[in-house]
């Protein structure tokens, strides 16, 4: 899990300005006052931030051009780490919308209150990460048999948070204790 005091994770997004703005509001720091001029009031990005936008221009329903804009970080480093596409985040968003009806617009289950959206998103994340095997995370067994060549793994198993795929019942009844206390 990404700790909030570490700064933002590397991020790729579409051409909208909401993501870089949200990064500044969430992780940005107002620089210390140097004693000259007006004191700074606006948060600034960290030196190690990485963010790029993939801006797609469409005409008549067809993709006309794609432009890559690095918002934060060294251009070559950011492109090397994030690639020049949004496929990963688009896949993640589609999975979230499929599992969580509150993220889908124009439905009866669309969240109108932030607390319900947060609760459903936390549950959806937990179910996805602990109870679902992900094919791309499976591990080849050292001594495969005819019945089993792969060990199915969930994202939580791949991150060494657990040693098995949980049932939904187990997820809802086990008390999770954080590794460190928030102080």
């Amino acid at each position: 899990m990404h700790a909030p005091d570490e700064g933002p994770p590397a991020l790729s997004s579409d051409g909208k300005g909401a993501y870089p703005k949200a990064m500044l509001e969430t992780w940005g720091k107002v620089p210390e006052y140097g004693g000259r001029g007006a004191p700074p009031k606006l948060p600034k990005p960290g030196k190690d931030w990485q963010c790029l936008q993939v801006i797609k221009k469409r005409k008549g329903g067809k993709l006309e051009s794609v432009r890559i804009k690095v918002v934060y970080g060294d251009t070559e480093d950011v492109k090397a780490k994030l690639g020049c596409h949004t496929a990963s985040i688009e896949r993640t968003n589609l999975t979230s919308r499929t599992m969580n009806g509150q993220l889908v617009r124009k439905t009866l289950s669309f969240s109108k209150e932030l607390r319900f959206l947060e609760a459903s998103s936390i549950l959806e994340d937990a179910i996805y990460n602990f109870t679902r095997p992900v094919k791309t995370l499976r591990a080849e067994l050292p001594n495969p048999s005819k019945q089993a060549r792969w060990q199915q793994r969930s994202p939580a198993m791949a991150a060494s948070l657990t040693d098995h795929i949980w049932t939904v019942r187990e997820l809802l009844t086990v008390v999770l204790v954080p590794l460190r206390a928030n102080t």
Side-chain angles (χ1 to χ4, degrees), residues 38-57:
K41 296 178 183 175
L42 299 176
K44 301 288 183 198
K47 290 180 176 31
D48 59 341
W49 288 19
Q50 293 186 324
C51 176
L52 70 78
Q53 292 180 321
V54 179
I55 303 164
K56 297 177 181 179
K57 186 177 178 184

Side-chain angles (χ1 to χ4, degrees), residues 92-153:
T92 302
N93 288 343
L94 178 59
T95 300
S96 292
R97 284 192 308 273
T98 302
M99 292 180 67
N100 186 351
Q102 297 206 1
L103 296 173
V104 180
R105 293 183 302 268
K106 298 183 181 181
T107 64
L108 293 175
S109 60
F110 181 75
S111 281
K112 294 174 189 74
E113 289 192 39
L114 182 59
R115 65 189 179 112
F116 294 130
L117 175 62
E118 287 174 342
S120 67
S121 295
I122 290 167
L123 179 61
E124 177 253 318
D125 283 346
I127 288 172
Y128 179 84
N129 287 306
F130 284 88
T131 70
R132 293 182 49 157
V134 176
K135 187 175 183 178
T136 56
L137 297 177
R138 67 186 180 176
E140 192 163 8
L141 294 169
N143 300 313
S145 66
K146 288 185 180 182
Q147 291 82 20
R149 179 177 172 193
W150 303 97
Q151 176 195 15
Q152 299 300 318
R153 298 191 315 163

Side-chain angles (χ1 to χ4, degrees), residues 6 21 27-28 37 47 49 53 57 64 86 89 101 116 141 146 163 174 178:
E6 290 179 8
K21 182 180 176 190
W27 291 285
K47 290 180 176 31
W49 288 19
Q53 292 180 321
K57 186 177 178 184
E64 193 173 83
T86 56
I89 193 65
F116 294 130
L141 294 169
K146 288 185 180 182
D163 62 354
V174 169

